[in-house]
Amino acid sequence: MSARSRNISHDDPWPRQRSAPPAAFRELDRVRTLEVVSGEDGETVPAGSEGTIVAVWNGGAAFDVEFVRPVETLAAIAPEALQRVEPTDG
């Protein structure tokens, strides 16, 4: 038995960290911003703007949302700043 395998115990946090809780939103969900956010090029996206989730980061710690109105931009947004408008089918 290697030294590494002898040091792993059931209290070791590593195995639990590998299985993150499911994300609140999924790719292609339609969402609405609950607060003003900044786009990737510094554009201001007003609260109430609707967009589509195009990427999920760190198991749902943040989401890339694509907007086409009122500005065309991509923004990384925390889940607390989003509300689902329409879920992904499936």
Side-chain angles (χ1 to χ4, degrees), residues 42-73:
E43 303 91 338
T44 297
V45 181
S49 298
E50 293 186 11
T52 303
I53 293 179
V54 295
V56 178
W57 297 104
N58 267 352
F63 301 89
D64 276 350
V65 181
E66 182 178 53
F67 297 94
V68 293
R69 284 185 309 240
V71 294
E72 189 171 332
T73 190

Side-chain angles (χ1 to χ4, degrees), residues 17-55:
Q17 290 174 348
R18 294 205 43 168
S19 57
F25 306 103
R26 299 182 341 183
E27 285 186 10
L28 303 182
D29 278 354
R30 296 278 304 152
V31 293
R32 177 181 299 118
T33 57
L34 299 175
E35 56 192 55
V36 175
V37 297
S38 293
E40 66 181 357
D41 293 324
E43 303 91 338
T44 297
V45 181
S49 298
E50 293 186 11
T52 303
I53 293 179
V54 295

